Amino acid sequence: MAKYILEMNHITKEFPGVKALNDVNFKVEEGEIHCLVGENGAGKSTLMKVLSGVYPHGAYQGDIVLNEETQKYTSVRDSEKAGIAIIYQELALIPDMAVYENIFLGHEIKKGAIIDWNETIVRSTKMLKKVKLNVNPAELIRNLGVGKQQLIEIAKALSKDVKLLILDEPTSALNENDSENLLLLLKELKTQGITSIMISHKLKEVISIADTVTILRDGKTICSLSAKNGEITENTIIKCMVGREIDNIYPGRDFKPAEETVLELKNWSGYDPAQGREIIKDVSLNVKKGEIVGIAGLMGAGRTELAQSIFGNPAGYRLKGELFIDGQKKQFNNTSDAIKAGIAYVTEDRKGNGLILIQDVKQNISISNLKEIAKNGVINQNEEINIGNDYRQSLNIKTPSIAQTVGNLSGGNQQKVSVGKWLFAKPKILILDEPTRGIDVGAKYEIYTIMNDLIKQGMSIIMISSELPEILGMSDRVYVVSEGRIAGELPIEEATQEKIMAMATN
Amino acid sequence: MSFIKEAKTLMRQNVREYGMYIALAVIMIIFTITTDGLFISSRNISNLINMTGYIAVLAIGMTLVIVIRHIDLSVGFLSGFMGAICAIMMMQWGWSVWIAIPAVMIFGILIGCINGLLVAKLNIPAFVVTLAGWLIFRGLILWVTEETGTIVINNPTFNAIGNGFIPDIADVGFHLLTVILGVIGIAIFVWSEFRGRTVKQKYNFEVISMNIFILKLVFISAIMAYITWILAGYNGLSWTIVIVAVTAFVYHFIATKTILGRHIYALGGNPEAAKLSGVNVTKITVWVFCSMGMLSALSGVLFASRLQSATTTAGTLFELDAIAAAYVGGVSAAGGVGKVTGSLIGALVMSSLVSGMNLMGTGIYYQYIIRGAVLVLAVIFDVATRRTAAKAV
């Protein structure tokens, strides 16, 4: 039996109200490439944070054994010293510093009290050779593509004499060529004795590279598959990933959508100048009146970008293609135009860009449609109180008063305020981005009931969700998005968790 | 017993706001004692308020600029430059004061617009844009006053703005019209407080108990009455007070009652969320800078009128006084928080310090050090009380 370089035994990590990790066992053999797979929220990132010391010893239960020694990290520094390096999705490089400065940032080579730049450059060149990257070490990071930056992150990790390299979805922002290069490099590093853990959603990659695959679901280890035994196949992985119980938390509805199309996209593409890549690729879809259309897919697949591109394009993507509302071709210059045309968008990140946390409930609700309660630009504040109380009642927002600051409410109630804010804008099409993320089961049920009421009143809903049971429980029709494309469309009768996951990971 | 308890909780909840009023009161009492009552004399209070005027209007505009997370460093020399232009219009071009003042205000708006467009459209940091403005307007003042040096203004109407008082209606030994206006002011205050309370009760909002409410009304009315009485004992309300009061009222109204105001505070509170809620970020930003430009022009007029001349150094350090007043008045640099009325009180606190220390004959170096210390203390107090307020909930 091969030696385990890392053993994580009986790891349990609790957050208020949720068990993010529940008695997880995770073992990595020396010199292998180990892939960690699971749906969004399965606990992969939490597990890696436990390993790297982001959650220090004592903040979790269970123990970590590295090279047969029990580890008690109090900070990320400790785990780095022990030879663990994590490369996150968001790269941690300084764009306006040179390659060599970045590689040795934080562990500079010193000669006495000053930095030995010559030695730094020499060693950087060696590291770059190791990762097979042919760039001038004096080049600024800003001038390099994401693929090369990724390799520099790896070079940086190697310079610290890493034993265990962890990559969190390394290829999610890369094109196919760069992805392939990266995978080849990992195999190469393996022959040099470096063990890697890779978190990935792309099953093809996983199958091609992994020696072992561990699958997490709902904070538990579900299966561990080995390549030696020929266990790693797409089917087995998907079976392990999904199969979450669909409990009866979805209110039934006896209502069929109309035939009438309210929103249609034709050959809709979007290029993001900030990331320098296409994030929406040739999307065509339609939404009927009184319909809930589910948009499934993994995080980072471009679902939020798609939603925002419809909602007045606040991020300034370069868009191509046609958008029709009620059969009429439209072009929105800003969110205000989209709101006027009857679109509303409840953001995925209600704290970051959904609500104004320092303002109170009624001010948050009225902001999207102040004109309705104003005369000559002066707000009728009594009317605003009325509106606030109406939505507080109809959405059952639990707050001592509508004059309460939104930042003080629970997640579920904040979400209801978000929904209330957009209902007050009286939209025809409501886009809900992860409508039940981070809220408890009771509040979820309430949100679902509200959604049913709304479509009965003739509204159409586009629901973006990473939770497959939610997609299956609430949608009339499902589109699956993968890497900015529509990977498939499924009527609800034909949709299963396995089918959706297969499309989303393809 | 419950009365004291309620007063205590109320004090804790509103410690930031009340703290400022208390600070102002404490400063005034201390100076009254150390100057044997000279500080609180009618003449000094009247002067003090006139001296605060040109900073107060800047502080009002600066409040909104800081609320939307920007800064405007150019206001000081812009104010000086506008004062000089106004003086040139009247003295050299022979324009009527009624045309010259609106003209410079419009000029101020245009300059503010340029600042706003550079910030909002080209995304240049406001600090840089307005620092450039600071240099440019400094140069422009020197340029337009190069031949003449200080421009003396001998237009009595114009000079009355900074030095004159509203006319009286009868000679009764004190300023009757001021007293009448003061009484009307108190009546409007009491009426609006009662009305606000009834509306809140109608919507089942929590209101403070009747005892405390009456106490608050009596307390504030007494202060208003006392100030009125002091002013009436000298020459009455000055035109500066009238102008500042009207400006503060208009801005307070815009900030609290209008869509525009709500959009400004939403933008400051969370720019991303505001944008996704249909707030036109560019438009709001440009508006706020335009308003700042207009108020800079107004400030320039007030200052030139007060000195009865446009000088080559007019406006020096006004921007920092205005920013300090806003911070002392509780505006948060993190954005979205701050009241127009707060900045007004902040400006009064700062100029009370100057006036009091001048009366005491405190050395100028001590004065700067003390003003700096007060600014830091105010912000520390602000941060600390915000933290306790967050904990209390």
Side-chain angles (χ1 to χ4, degrees):
Chain A
M1 201 181 105
K3 184 186 150 209
Y4 288 119
I5 184 171
L6 171 76
E7 289 178 67
M8 296 180 80
N9 297 322
H10 308 289
I11 304 285
T12 298
K13 169 77 190 164
E14 276 179 81
F15 293 111
V18 243
K19 257 191 184 167
L21 294 175
N22 189 358
D23 196 28
V24 168
N25 290 309
F26 182 59
K27 289 178 182 168
V28 181
E29 279 178 32
E30 187 152 30
E32 70 168 348
I33 297 179
H34 195 125
C35 287
L36 190 57
V37 181
E39 274 187 294
N40 300 132
K44 297 163 301 195
S45 300
T46 314
L47 187 66
M48 290 306 109
K49 280 181 183 166
V50 167
L51 175 57
S52 64
V54 172
Y55 301 128
H57 180 77
Y60 58 89
Q61 289 143 35
D63 46 48
I64 302 173
V65 181
L66 188 71
N67 281 327
E68 289 163 356
E69 272 174 58
T70 307
Q71 308 284 322
K72 288 178 183 169
Y73 303 134
T74 53
S75 74
V76 181
R77 261 193 122 96
D78 291 349
S79 71
E80 279 184 1
K81 255 185 226 156
I84 298 174
I86 299 199
I87 296 170
Y88 292 101
Q89 259 170 295
E90 295 86 24
L91 301 177
L93 299 170
I94 318 273
D96 286 309
M97 280 192 183
V99 170
Y100 66 86
E101 286 175 291
N102 267 287
I103 291 180
F104 285 93
L105 186 67
H107 57 120
E108 290 80 2
I109 306 168
K110 283 184 237 165
K111 202 196 241 166
I114 55 167
I115 299 177
D116 184 348
W117 287 120
N118 291 331
E119 179 65 18
T120 305
I121 292 172
V122 170
R123 299 248 302 260
S124 297
T125 317
K126 262 188 220 160
M127 292 302 153
L128 290 175
K129 226 175 245 163
K130 258 195 186 171
V131 297
K132 300 199 159 46
L133 183 59
N134 187 18
V135 298
N136 182 348
E139 186 68 76
L140 294 187
I141 294 293
R142 181 179 293 289
N143 302 333
L144 301 174
V146 198
K148 286 181 180 167
Q149 293 189 12
Q150 187 80 259
L151 295 178
I152 287 166
E153 278 274 16
I154 295 174
K156 184 176 172 181
L158 295 180
S159 76
K160 290 182 207 167
D161 204 16
V162 66
K163 294 189 189 77
L164 186 57
L165 184 65
I166 303 167
L167 300 118
D168 190 357
E169 293 197 46
T171 58
S172 64
L174 303 188
N175 62 30
E176 250 164 61
N177 250 337
D178 286 345
S179 301
E180 211 149 290
N181 267 337
L182 185 83
L183 297 181
L184 280 177
L185 176 68
L186 287 185
K187 280 186 185 168
E188 170 78 29
L189 290 176
K190 182 170 119 178
T191 62
Q192 293 171 24
I194 291 173
T195 315
S196 315
I197 300 174
M198 183 171 90
I199 297 177
S200 179
H201 285 312
K202 296 184 185 167
L203 296 192
K204 270 193 191 140
E205 274 173 26
V206 170
I207 292 163
S208 79
I209 196 175
D211 297 307
T212 314
V213 178
T214 295
I215 293 134
L216 291 186
R217 190 207 308 155
D218 296 333
K220 289 181 200 147
T221 325
I222 301 299
C223 3
S224 193
L225 310 172
S226 163
K228 276 177 244 155
N229 311 338
E231 293 164 341
I232 303 180
T233 65
E234 198 169 321
N235 276 339
T236 25
I237 296 178
I238 288 179
K239 224 173 249 163
C240 291
M241 279 174 82
V242 298
R244 190 189 287 178
E245 292 292 304
I246 302 185
D247 25 23
N248 257 340
I249 62 160
Y250 302 97
R253 64 173 182 265
D254 45 0
F255 179 78
K256 283 265 167 257
E259 278 304 304
E260 192 184 333
T261 302
V262 286
L263 176 121
E264 189 168 13
L265 290 182
K266 276 185 187 162
N267 307 106
W268 190 252
S269 298
Y271 176 86
D272 182 7
Q275 293 181 54
R277 67 191 177 103
E278 204 169 34
I279 32 126
I280 304 161
K281 294 167 194 157
D282 197 27
V283 167
S284 296
L285 58 75
N286 63 72
V287 180
K288 306 261 190 305
K289 190 175 176 179
E291 185 180 38
I292 298 182
V293 170
I295 308 262
L298 296 160
M299 236 180 269
R303 299 166 307 166
T304 298
E305 288 82 354
L306 175 63
Q308 293 205 2
S309 73
I310 300 171
F311 186 63
N313 193 19
Y317 305 134
R318 278 180 229 141
L319 299 174
K320 269 190 299 196
E322 295 171 304
L323 165 68
F324 298 89
I325 306 278
D326 290 332
Q328 276 175 314
K329 195 174 167 189
K330 296 266 178 184
Q331 200 184 347
F332 305 138
N333 292 319
N334 48 44
T335 46
S336 186
D337 285 356
I339 296 170
K340 269 180 220 146
I343 303 178
Y345 171 61
V346 178
T347 65
E348 130 189 67
D349 179 9
R350 58 182 166 265
K351 288 187 183 189
N353 58 16
L355 296 168
I356 300 165
L357 296 177
I358 57 173
Q359 293 192 349
D360 64 27
V361 174
K362 61 178 159 43
Q363 289 174 328
N364 268 286
I365 289 177
S366 62
I367 183 76
S368 61
N369 198 10
L370 281 169
K371 275 198 187 115
E372 170 120 358
I373 50 165
K375 210 170 166 187
N376 299 324
V378 180
I379 300 166
N380 180 341
Q381 296 188 331
N382 295 339
E383 195 52 36
E384 185 177 35
I385 294 171
N386 270 334
I387 300 284
N389 276 328
D390 283 354
Y391 282 104
R392 177 191 175 184
Q393 231 165 39
S394 65
L395 301 179
N396 195 19
I397 301 169
K398 289 180 199 83
T399 167
S401 134
I402 53 168
Q404 176 69 258
T405 309
V406 166
N408 295 332
L409 300 183
S410 73
N413 286 305
Q414 286 182 354
Q415 187 65 359
K416 288 186 213 160
V417 174
S418 274
V419 172
K421 156 181 167 175
W422 286 111
L423 293 185
F424 179 50
K426 317 253 158 65
K428 284 186 287 195
I429 302 152
L430 180 65
I431 307 175
L432 298 169
D433 199 346
E434 302 284 2
T436 62
R437 172 180 297 170
I439 67 181
D440 63 66
V441 180
K444 275 185 183 180
Y445 188 85
E446 284 181 276
I447 299 270
Y448 297 141
T449 315
I450 293 165
M451 287 167 66
N452 279 348
D453 288 346
L454 293 177
I455 54 166
K456 238 176 236 171
Q457 292 160 27
M459 206 181 280
S460 307
I461 294 178
I462 299 175
M463 180 181 71
I464 297 171
S465 176
S466 300
E467 292 189 31
L468 292 180
E470 178 170 282
I471 289 275
L472 295 176
M474 289 304 296
S475 315
D476 291 304
R477 202 149 49 89
V478 183
Y479 287 102
V480 184
V481 176
S482 166
E483 295 182 41
R485 283 176 293 106
I486 297 282
E489 179 189 348
L490 295 165
I492 196 66
E493 300 79 28
E494 292 172 23
T496 62
Q497 297 196 34
E498 285 81 4
K499 272 190 197 168
I500 294 175
M501 190 52 79
M503 286 176 175
T505 51
N506 212 324
Chain B
M1 195 51 213
S2 70
F3 176 78
I4 296 172
K5 218 177 185 178
E6 194 189 347
K8 267 189 183 165
T9 26
L10 211 61
M11 192 62 221
R12 220 181 9 247
Q13 281 167 357
N14 296 303
V15 60
R16 180 67 187 90
E17 211 179 334
Y18 295 172
M20 205 163 52
Y21 292 100
I22 292 168
L24 181 60
V26 168
I27 289 170
M28 290 187 139
I29 290 168
I30 290 176
F31 283 133
T32 304
I33 295 168
T34 55
T35 60
D36 292 328
L38 199 58
F39 180 83
I40 206 75
S41 69
S42 298
R43 188 192 164 89
N44 189 55
I45 291 296
S46 186
N47 265 331
L48 167 72
I49 297 178
N50 279 2
M51 194 178 85
T52 314
Y54 51 87
I55 296 298
V57 291
L58 289 179
I60 289 169
M62 194 62 78
T63 307
L64 299 186
V65 175
I66 299 177
V67 160
I68 63 166
R69 306 182 177 195
H70 290 301
I71 195 78
D72 193 336
L73 299 176
S74 68
V75 297
F77 288 126
L78 177 58
S79 153
F81 176 54
M82 291 291 118
I85 292 289
C86 197
I88 289 171
M89 283 172 173
M90 288 184 303
M91 293 299 104
Q92 294 174 9
W93 303 349
W95 290 21
S96 142
V97 60
W98 303 111
I99 297 173
I101 292 177
V104 289
M105 304 256 284
I106 290 168
F107 196 15
I109 292 176
L110 292 178
I111 289 172
C113 273
I114 296 172
N115 279 341
L117 285 171
L118 288 172
V119 171
K121 279 273 183 198
L122 299 183
N123 285 322
I124 306 175
F127 191 95
V128 177
V129 170
T130 60
L131 183 60
W134 187 95
L135 290 164
I136 291 168
F137 301 130
R138 177 93 186 95
L140 286 173
I141 298 176
L142 295 176
W143 188 22
V144 297
T145 59
E146 194 191 5
E147 277 170 33
T148 50
T150 296
I151 305 167
V152 176
I153 302 168
N154 49 26
N155 181 323
T157 318
F158 184 82
N159 290 341
I161 295 171
N163 304 289
F165 297 87
I166 59 170
D168 203 357
I169 42 175
D171 193 3
V172 286
F174 56 83
H175 203 279
L176 186 59
L177 184 56
T178 300
V179 173
I180 293 172
L181 288 176
V183 170
I184 293 174
I186 291 170
I188 290 176
F189 166 72
V190 171
W191 176 76
S192 70
E193 284 290 307
F194 263 104
R195 191 168 157 268
R197 187 182 160 89
T198 344
V199 168
K200 276 189 179 172
Q201 277 171 328
K202 202 174 112 196
Y203 289 106
N204 293 324
F205 274 21
E206 218 178 299
V207 289
I208 50 179
S209 72
M210 203 58 185
N211 284 337
I212 298 257
F213 181 67
I214 298 283
L215 184 75
K216 182 181 154 196
L217 284 190
V218 170
F219 188 69
I220 295 176
S221 303
I223 292 175
M224 288 171 77
Y226 186 61
I227 293 172
T228 308
W229 183 245
I230 288 182
L231 293 175
Y234 186 54
N235 285 330
L237 279 179
S238 66
W239 285 114
T240 303
I241 296 182
V242 174
I243 290 170
V244 172
V246 169
T247 312
F249 177 81
V250 168
Y251 272 79
H252 181 70
F253 182 82
I254 290 174
T256 56
K257 306 272 182 202
T258 65
I259 293 184
L260 177 65
R262 199 57 76 68
H263 281 185
I264 290 172
Y265 282 81
L267 175 57
N270 185 342
E272 282 297 306
K275 200 172 176 187
L276 284 175
S277 305
V279 172
N280 188 332
V281 176
T282 313
K283 202 173 96 188
I284 299 293
T285 309
V286 171
W287 190 92
V288 168
F289 276 94
C290 284
S291 107
M292 188 74 252
M294 183 192 76
L295 291 176
S296 303
L298 180 61
S299 158
V301 168
L302 285 171
F303 188 67
S305 156
R306 176 129 187 92
L307 296 189
Q308 312 194 358
S309 59
T311 63
T312 52
T313 55
T316 310
L317 291 185
F318 284 11
E319 66 282 350
L320 298 186
D321 283 338
I323 293 167
Y327 281 134
V328 170
V331 178
S332 158
V337 178
K339 286 183 170 175
V340 167
T341 45
S343 300
L344 201 59
I345 300 295
L348 268 178
V349 166
M350 294 311 262
S351 55
S352 295
L353 284 174
V354 174
S355 159
M357 289 189 289
N358 277 338
L359 286 178
M360 285 171 65
T362 315
I364 190 74
Y365 39 93
Y366 285 129
Q367 291 201 14
Y368 276 111
I369 294 169
I370 289 170
R371 280 159 71 194
V374 167
L375 173 58
V376 170
L377 283 176
V379 177
I380 290 173
F381 182 68
D382 193 30
V383 172
T385 51
R386 244 180 256 285
R387 211 172 285 153
T388 32
K391 252 185 225 161
V393 181

